[in-house]
Amino acid sequence: MEEIYLDKNENPFNIPDAIREKFIAYVREADFNRYPEKGLPSLISSLGKFTGLEADNIIAANGSDELLDILIKRANGDIVFSSPTFEMYSFYAKNYGYRSVDVPLKSDFSLDADEILKHKDAKLIVICSPNNPTGNLIDRESIKKVLDSGITTILDNAYYEFSGENYTDLVKKYHNLIILRTFSKAFSMAGMRVGYGMGSADLMADLKKLQAPFYMNIMSAKLAEIMIENYKLVEDNIKYIVNERERVYSELKDITYKSDANFLMLKKDLFDYMAERGIHIRKLPLVKDRSRITIGTREENDRVVSAIKDYMEE
Ligand code: PMP
Protein backbone atom coordinates (compact mmCIF):
# COMPACT_ATOMS: atom_id res chain seq x y z
CA MET A 1 0.00 0.00 0.00
CA GLU A 2 1.46 3.32 -1.08
CA GLU A 3 1.60 5.93 1.68
CA ILE A 4 0.04 9.26 0.77
CA TYR A 5 0.70 12.58 2.43
CA LEU A 6 -2.24 14.93 2.75
CA ASP A 7 -1.13 16.62 5.94
CA LYS A 8 0.58 19.89 4.95
CA ASN A 9 -1.72 21.54 2.40
CA GLU A 10 0.92 21.08 -0.28
CA ASN A 11 0.16 21.03 -3.98
CA PRO A 12 -0.07 17.40 -5.16
CA PHE A 13 1.62 18.41 -8.42
CA ASN A 14 5.27 19.21 -8.83
CA ILE A 15 6.14 22.26 -10.95
CA PRO A 16 5.10 21.75 -14.62
CA ASP A 17 7.77 20.18 -16.89
CA ALA A 18 7.93 23.20 -19.22
CA ILE A 19 8.75 25.42 -16.22
CA ARG A 20 11.31 22.95 -14.87
CA GLU A 21 13.10 23.07 -18.26
CA LYS A 22 13.25 26.88 -18.20
CA PHE A 23 14.50 26.79 -14.64
CA ILE A 24 17.23 24.25 -15.47
CA ALA A 25 18.36 26.44 -18.37
CA TYR A 26 18.71 29.29 -15.87
CA VAL A 27 20.61 27.16 -13.35
CA ARG A 28 23.09 26.08 -16.05
CA GLU A 29 24.17 29.67 -16.60
CA ALA A 30 23.60 31.23 -13.16
CA ASP A 31 26.40 33.14 -11.39
CA PHE A 32 26.33 31.34 -8.07
CA ASN A 33 29.42 33.21 -6.88
CA ARG A 34 27.50 36.52 -6.85
CA TYR A 35 25.03 37.81 -4.28
CA PRO A 36 21.45 38.34 -5.44
CA GLU A 37 20.67 41.86 -6.58
CA LYS A 38 19.88 43.82 -3.41
CA GLY A 39 16.14 43.73 -2.66
CA LEU A 40 15.47 41.50 -5.70
CA PRO A 41 13.97 44.32 -7.82
CA SER A 42 13.17 41.99 -10.72
CA LEU A 43 11.03 39.67 -8.57
CA ILE A 44 9.35 42.63 -6.85
CA SER A 45 8.51 44.23 -10.18
CA SER A 46 7.12 40.99 -11.55
CA LEU A 47 4.96 40.55 -8.40
CA GLY A 48 3.77 44.14 -8.81
CA LYS A 49 2.58 43.51 -12.35
CA PHE A 50 1.08 40.17 -11.35
CA THR A 51 -0.98 41.65 -8.52
CA GLY A 52 -1.82 44.93 -10.24
CA LEU A 53 -0.05 46.96 -7.55
CA GLU A 54 3.00 49.24 -7.63
CA ALA A 55 6.40 47.76 -6.81
CA ASP A 56 6.56 49.82 -3.60
CA ASN A 57 3.38 48.10 -2.37
CA ILE A 58 5.16 44.73 -2.47
CA ILE A 59 7.60 42.93 -0.19
CA ALA A 60 8.93 39.46 -1.00
CA ALA A 61 10.29 37.03 1.58
CA ASN A 62 11.72 33.65 2.36
CA GLY A 63 8.27 32.08 2.71
CA SER A 64 5.35 34.04 4.14
CA ASP A 65 6.55 32.70 7.51
CA GLU A 66 9.43 35.19 7.31
CA LEU A 67 6.94 38.05 7.01
CA LEU A 68 4.91 36.73 9.95
CA ASP A 69 8.12 36.61 11.95
CA ILE A 70 9.14 40.17 11.05
CA LEU A 71 5.65 41.61 11.57
CA ILE A 72 5.10 39.92 14.91
CA LYS A 73 8.58 40.81 16.20
CA ARG A 74 8.02 44.43 15.17
CA ALA A 75 4.63 44.58 16.93
CA ASN A 76 6.32 44.51 20.33
CA GLY A 77 3.07 43.92 22.25
CA ASP A 78 -0.22 42.01 22.26
CA ILE A 79 -1.00 39.94 19.15
CA VAL A 80 -4.69 39.25 18.50
CA PHE A 81 -5.88 36.32 16.37
CA SER A 82 -8.92 34.06 16.15
CA SER A 83 -8.70 30.36 16.89
CA PRO A 84 -8.85 27.79 15.51
CA THR A 85 -6.22 29.17 13.15
CA PHE A 86 -2.65 28.82 11.86
CA GLU A 87 -0.36 27.98 14.79
CA MET A 88 2.57 30.12 13.68
CA TYR A 89 0.94 33.33 14.97
CA SER A 90 1.10 32.17 18.58
CA PHE A 91 4.47 30.48 17.91
CA TYR A 92 6.15 33.78 16.99
CA ALA A 93 4.30 35.72 19.71
CA LYS A 94 5.63 33.23 22.26
CA ASN A 95 9.14 33.38 20.76
CA TYR A 96 9.27 37.12 21.37
CA GLY A 97 7.58 36.96 24.76
CA TYR A 98 4.44 38.79 23.63
CA ARG A 99 0.93 38.00 24.78
CA SER A 100 -1.33 36.05 22.42
CA VAL A 101 -4.89 37.31 22.69
CA ASP A 102 -7.30 34.76 21.28
CA VAL A 103 -10.70 35.99 20.15
CA PRO A 104 -12.17 32.70 18.90
CA LEU A 105 -14.11 32.55 15.66
CA LYS A 106 -17.88 32.28 16.20
CA SER A 107 -19.51 28.85 15.97
CA ASP A 108 -20.06 29.33 12.21
CA PHE A 109 -16.32 30.22 11.91
CA SER A 110 -17.05 33.87 11.14
CA LEU A 111 -14.89 36.62 12.65
CA ASP A 112 -15.96 38.22 15.92
CA ALA A 113 -14.93 41.72 14.85
CA ASP A 114 -16.72 43.46 17.75
CA GLU A 115 -14.87 41.36 20.30
CA ILE A 116 -11.54 41.96 18.53
CA LEU A 117 -12.14 45.71 18.63
CA LYS A 118 -12.47 45.60 22.41
CA HIS A 119 -8.70 44.96 22.54
CA LYS A 120 -7.73 48.55 21.95
CA ASP A 121 -4.13 48.03 23.13
CA ALA A 122 -3.44 45.33 20.55
CA LYS A 123 -0.32 46.00 18.52
CA LEU A 124 -1.16 43.57 15.73
CA ILE A 125 -4.28 41.74 14.59
CA VAL A 126 -4.03 38.63 12.41
CA ILE A 127 -6.94 37.50 10.26
CA CYS A 128 -6.54 34.31 8.23
CA SER A 129 -8.78 34.06 5.15
CA PRO A 130 -9.44 31.44 3.90
CA ASN A 131 -8.77 30.28 7.43
CA ASN A 132 -6.52 27.33 8.17
CA PRO A 133 -7.80 24.80 9.36
CA THR A 134 -11.53 25.61 9.01
CA GLY A 135 -11.25 26.45 5.28
CA ASN A 136 -13.79 29.31 5.16
CA LEU A 137 -13.35 32.84 3.88
CA ILE A 138 -13.77 35.68 6.34
CA ASP A 139 -16.43 38.16 5.35
CA ARG A 140 -15.09 41.40 3.82
CA GLU A 141 -17.28 43.69 5.97
CA SER A 142 -15.94 42.31 9.23
CA ILE A 143 -12.37 42.64 7.90
CA LYS A 144 -13.05 46.29 7.07
CA LYS A 145 -14.52 46.85 10.50
CA VAL A 146 -11.27 45.60 12.06
CA LEU A 147 -9.15 47.67 9.65
CA ASP A 148 -11.09 50.80 10.60
CA SER A 149 -9.48 50.53 14.05
CA GLY A 150 -6.19 51.68 12.49
CA ILE A 151 -4.30 48.84 14.22
CA THR A 152 -1.77 47.07 11.97
CA THR A 153 -3.57 44.03 10.58
CA ILE A 154 -2.26 41.01 8.72
CA LEU A 155 -4.67 39.37 6.31
CA ASP A 156 -3.07 35.96 5.80
CA ASN A 157 -4.24 35.02 2.32
CA ALA A 158 -2.05 31.91 1.82
CA TYR A 159 -4.91 30.02 0.17
CA TYR A 160 -6.09 32.94 -1.98
CA GLU A 161 -5.83 31.19 -5.34
CA PHE A 162 -8.31 28.47 -4.33
CA SER A 163 -10.87 30.94 -3.04
CA GLY A 164 -11.72 33.39 -5.80
CA GLU A 165 -11.92 36.24 -3.26
CA ASN A 166 -9.40 39.01 -3.89
CA TYR A 167 -8.74 41.60 -1.18
CA THR A 168 -6.02 43.66 -2.93
CA ASP A 169 -8.40 46.60 -3.43
CA LEU A 170 -8.24 47.11 0.36
CA VAL A 171 -4.50 47.90 0.14
CA LYS A 172 -5.22 51.31 -1.42
CA LYS A 173 -7.74 52.21 1.26
CA TYR A 174 -6.07 50.93 4.45
CA HIS A 175 -2.51 51.93 5.34
CA ASN A 176 -2.54 49.55 8.32
CA LEU A 177 -3.14 46.44 6.19
CA ILE A 178 -0.70 43.85 4.89
CA ILE A 179 -1.97 40.92 2.83
CA LEU A 180 0.29 37.86 2.89
CA ARG A 181 0.50 35.32 0.10
CA THR A 182 2.72 32.38 -0.67
CA PHE A 183 4.19 30.33 -3.51
CA SER A 184 3.98 27.22 -1.30
CA LYS A 185 0.43 26.20 -2.19
CA ALA A 186 -1.07 27.08 -5.59
CA PHE A 187 2.42 27.55 -7.12
CA SER A 188 3.76 24.11 -6.03
CA MET A 189 6.87 25.72 -4.51
CA ALA A 190 6.76 24.82 -0.79
CA GLY A 191 10.35 23.56 -0.95
CA MET A 192 11.64 26.82 -2.40
CA ARG A 193 10.32 29.15 0.35
CA VAL A 194 8.84 32.16 -1.41
CA GLY A 195 6.14 34.40 0.02
CA TYR A 196 5.12 38.01 -0.45
CA GLY A 197 3.20 40.79 1.19
CA MET A 198 1.10 43.65 -0.20
CA GLY A 199 0.44 46.86 1.68
CA SER A 200 0.93 50.60 1.81
CA ALA A 201 4.29 51.90 0.56
CA ASP A 202 5.08 53.23 4.08
CA LEU A 203 4.45 49.91 5.79
CA MET A 204 6.37 47.97 3.10
CA ALA A 205 9.36 50.33 3.40
CA ASP A 206 9.28 49.93 7.17
CA LEU A 207 9.33 46.14 6.91
CA LYS A 208 12.11 46.11 4.32
CA LYS A 209 14.35 47.90 6.82
CA LEU A 210 13.95 44.92 9.15
CA GLN A 211 14.81 42.39 6.48
CA ALA A 212 18.29 41.19 5.52
CA PRO A 213 19.42 42.70 2.19
CA PHE A 214 19.92 39.24 0.66
CA TYR A 215 16.81 37.61 2.06
CA MET A 216 16.21 35.05 -0.66
CA ASN A 217 18.46 32.88 -2.81
CA ILE A 218 18.64 33.51 -6.55
CA MET A 219 17.10 30.16 -7.49
CA SER A 220 13.91 30.62 -5.47
CA ALA A 221 13.51 34.15 -6.80
CA LYS A 222 14.03 33.04 -10.40
CA LEU A 223 11.65 30.11 -10.18
CA ALA A 224 8.95 32.39 -8.74
CA GLU A 225 9.41 34.74 -11.70
CA ILE A 226 9.20 31.90 -14.21
CA MET A 227 6.02 30.65 -12.51
CA ILE A 228 4.44 34.09 -12.83
CA GLU A 229 5.39 34.26 -16.52
CA ASN A 230 3.66 30.90 -17.02
CA TYR A 231 0.68 31.47 -14.75
CA LYS A 232 -1.66 29.71 -17.16
CA LEU A 233 -0.05 26.39 -16.17
CA VAL A 234 -0.47 27.23 -12.49
CA GLU A 235 -4.12 28.05 -13.10
CA ASP A 236 -4.73 24.65 -14.66
CA ASN A 237 -3.60 23.00 -11.42
CA ILE A 238 -5.69 25.38 -9.32
CA LYS A 239 -8.81 24.50 -11.33
CA TYR A 240 -8.08 20.80 -10.93
CA ILE A 241 -7.68 21.14 -7.16
CA VAL A 242 -10.83 23.27 -6.77
CA ASN A 243 -12.85 20.75 -8.83
CA GLU A 244 -11.51 17.91 -6.71
CA ARG A 245 -12.28 19.80 -3.50
CA GLU A 246 -15.89 20.21 -4.56
CA ARG A 247 -16.12 16.57 -5.60
CA VAL A 248 -14.69 15.27 -2.31
CA TYR A 249 -16.90 17.67 -0.34
CA SER A 250 -20.03 16.49 -2.13
CA GLU A 251 -19.12 12.86 -1.43
CA LEU A 252 -18.35 13.52 2.24
CA LYS A 253 -20.75 16.36 3.04
CA ASP A 254 -21.94 14.78 6.28
CA ILE A 255 -18.50 14.69 7.81
CA THR A 256 -16.66 17.74 6.37
CA TYR A 257 -17.04 21.50 6.42
CA LYS A 258 -17.26 23.43 3.18
CA SER A 259 -13.95 24.98 2.12
CA ASP A 260 -12.53 27.81 0.02
CA ALA A 261 -8.99 26.44 0.25
CA ASN A 262 -7.08 23.30 -0.84
CA PHE A 263 -8.09 21.29 2.22
CA LEU A 264 -11.18 20.20 4.13
CA MET A 265 -11.71 20.10 7.87
CA LEU A 266 -13.30 16.87 9.01
CA LYS A 267 -15.90 16.80 11.78
CA LYS A 268 -14.01 13.90 13.39
CA ASP A 269 -10.43 13.20 14.39
CA LEU A 270 -9.60 10.52 11.81
CA PHE A 271 -5.81 10.88 12.13
CA ASP A 272 -5.18 7.36 13.48
CA TYR A 273 -7.88 5.69 11.39
CA MET A 274 -6.46 7.15 8.17
CA ALA A 275 -2.82 6.53 9.14
CA GLU A 276 -3.63 2.82 9.51
CA ARG A 277 -4.74 2.98 5.86
CA GLY A 278 -1.53 4.72 4.71
CA ILE A 279 -3.20 8.13 4.44
CA HIS A 280 -1.45 10.82 6.46
CA ILE A 281 -3.68 13.71 7.43
CA ARG A 282 -3.27 16.57 9.91
CA LYS A 283 -4.10 16.08 13.53
CA LEU A 284 -5.36 19.30 15.10
CA PRO A 285 -4.18 19.09 18.70
CA LEU A 286 -5.91 22.36 19.60
CA VAL A 287 -9.24 21.49 17.98
CA LYS A 288 -11.08 18.66 19.67
CA ASP A 289 -12.55 15.90 17.47
CA ARG A 290 -11.51 17.48 14.20
CA SER A 291 -8.77 16.79 11.65
CA ARG A 292 -7.72 18.31 8.35
CA ILE A 293 -7.14 16.73 5.00
CA THR A 294 -5.39 18.25 1.99
CA ILE A 295 -6.89 17.80 -1.47
CA GLY A 296 -4.57 15.56 -3.49
CA THR A 297 -4.64 13.98 -6.93
CA ARG A 298 -7.87 12.35 -8.14
CA GLU A 299 -6.49 8.91 -7.26
CA GLU A 300 -5.45 10.01 -3.77
CA ASN A 301 -8.83 11.62 -3.20
CA ASP A 302 -10.58 8.43 -4.32
CA ARG A 303 -8.70 6.55 -1.60
CA VAL A 304 -9.69 9.21 0.93
CA VAL A 305 -13.37 9.10 -0.03
CA SER A 306 -13.51 5.34 0.07
CA ALA A 307 -11.70 5.12 3.46
CA ILE A 308 -13.98 7.74 5.03
CA LYS A 309 -17.13 6.16 3.59
CA ASP A 310 -16.04 2.84 5.14
CA TYR A 311 -15.58 4.66 8.44
CA MET A 312 -19.06 6.13 8.26
CA GLU A 313 -20.62 2.76 7.52
CA GLU A 314 -18.84 1.02 10.42
N1 PMP B 1 -0.19 31.05 6.45
C1 PMP B 1 -0.99 29.99 6.47
C2 PMP B 1 -2.42 30.18 6.83
C3 PMP B 1 -0.49 28.73 6.17
O1 PMP B 1 -1.31 27.67 6.24
C4 PMP B 1 0.88 28.59 5.83
C5 PMP B 1 1.50 27.27 5.48
N2 PMP B 1 1.00 26.15 6.05
C6 PMP B 1 1.68 29.73 5.83
C7 PMP B 1 1.11 30.95 6.12
C8 PMP B 1 3.14 29.65 5.57
O2 PMP B 1 3.45 29.63 4.24
P1 PMP B 1 4.95 29.66 3.71
O3 PMP B 1 5.23 28.30 3.19
O4 PMP B 1 4.94 30.71 2.64
O5 PMP B 1 5.86 30.06 4.84
Side-chain angles (χ1 to χ4, degrees):
M1 181 176 55
E2 201 193 331
E3 305 282 308
I4 55 178
Y5 291 87
L6 301 174
D7 54 339
K8 293 197 191 72
N9 296 344
E10 293 155 331
N11 198 306
F13 301 112
N14 208 327
I15 58 169
D17 288 344
I19 293 181
R20 186 180 288 265
E21 287 311 311
K22 288 184 186 170
F23 180 60
I24 290 170
Y26 164 76
V27 167
R28 258 192 216 109
E29 304 290 328
D31 293 325
F32 290 111
N33 56 322
R34 301 294 176 193
Y35 282 103
E37 201 178 343
K38 223 176 184 173
L40 293 171
S42 171
L43 174 62
I44 298 277
S45 140
S46 124
L47 284 167
K49 286 190 202 113
F50 180 62
T51 56
L53 295 171
E54 300 299 324
D56 61 3
N57 295 123
I58 305 282
I59 183 169
N62 193 8
S64 51
D65 277 348
E66 185 196 353
L67 290 170
L68 286 173
D69 188 359
I70 293 174
L71 279 151
I72 291 175
K73 182 176 186 186
R74 167 185 179 274
N76 195 22
D78 292 359
I79 315 291
V80 177
F81 52 81
S82 296
S83 70
T85 193
F86 188 42
E87 288 96 354
M88 292 305 281
Y89 314 143
S90 58
F91 169 88
Y92 286 123
K94 191 164 170 234
N95 261 1
Y96 294 116
Y98 308 154
R99 199 158 68 104
S100 285
V101 180
D102 182 12
V103 177
L105 295 174
K106 296 181 189 170
S107 57
D108 62 355
F109 305 138
S110 62
L111 195 72
D112 198 342
D114 292 330
E115 200 55 39
I116 288 177
L117 292 174
K118 287 185 187 160
H119 296 276
K120 294 196 171 23
D121 294 337
K123 291 289 187 266
L124 180 71
I125 299 168
V126 193
I127 300 171
C128 187
S129 179
N131 184 49
N132 176 8
T134 54
N136 60 299
L137 276 163
I138 301 297
D139 149 72
R140 183 176 270 273
E141 288 315 306
S142 57
I143 294 172
K144 282 160 84 177
K145 207 167 176 180
V146 169
L147 286 167
D148 283 332
S149 70
I151 298 171
T152 305
T153 300
I154 298 176
L155 181 50
D156 187 343
N157 203 197
Y159 300 95
Y160 156 67
E161 295 86 352
F162 308 105
S163 76
E165 173 79 357
N166 190 342
Y167 302 104
T168 42
D169 58 299
L170 299 177
V171 165
K172 296 224 163 63
K173 193 166 171 220
Y174 292 99
H175 287 244
N176 52 325
L177 167 67
I178 175 164
I179 300 176
L180 298 188
R181 293 209 189 134
T182 179
F183 277 68
S184 299
K185 313 294 176 185
F187 287 84
S188 304
M189 276 177 55
M192 292 299 264
R193 315 304 302 127
V194 179
Y196 65 102
M198 299 175 282
S200 65
D202 287 352
L203 180 56
M204 296 307 98
D206 230 44
L207 298 178
K208 284 175 192 177
K209 284 186 207 146
L210 301 174
Q211 198 176 28
F214 307 119
Y215 55 87
M216 191 191 296
N217 73 73
I218 55 171
M219 289 191 294
S220 298
K222 188 66 186 185
L223 184 57
E225 280 187 52
I226 301 174
M227 286 300 239
I228 291 173
E229 282 160 20
N230 296 276
Y231 190 64
K232 171 79 187 59
L233 298 175
V234 177
E235 260 176 335
D236 291 344
N237 286 345
I238 296 168
K239 279 186 200 139
Y240 177 108
I241 292 165
V242 169
N243 280 337
E244 279 298 292
R245 177 189 74 205
E246 293 308 306
R247 179 176 76 90
V248 176
Y249 173 73
S250 69
E251 297 267 13
L252 302 175
K253 255 196 190 89
D254 295 339
I255 196 174
T256 62
Y257 294 94
K258 202 156 173 45
S259 167
D260 294 293
N262 66 339
F263 55 84
L264 294 167
M265 188 163 82
L266 302 175
K267 297 179 181 174
K268 281 270 180 317
D269 178 2
L270 295 189
F271 178 83
D272 293 328
Y273 172 86
M274 297 295 266
E276 281 162 21
R277 284 152 189 80
I279 305 171
H280 301 276
I281 68 170
R282 180 80 155 80
K283 202 172 175 68
L284 301 171
L286 304 178
V287 199
K288 209 166 165 283
D289 298 333
R290 302 282 181 270
S291 50
R292 191 195 69 197
I293 186 152
T294 306
I295 299 298
T297 61
R298 209 157 283 148
E299 296 70 30
E300 289 170 338
N301 301 332
D302 282 343
R303 265 179 69 184
V304 164
V305 168
S306 127
I308 296 182
K309 282 194 165 162
D310 286 350
Y311 170 85
M312 289 174 24
E313 276 162 23
E314 262 170 31

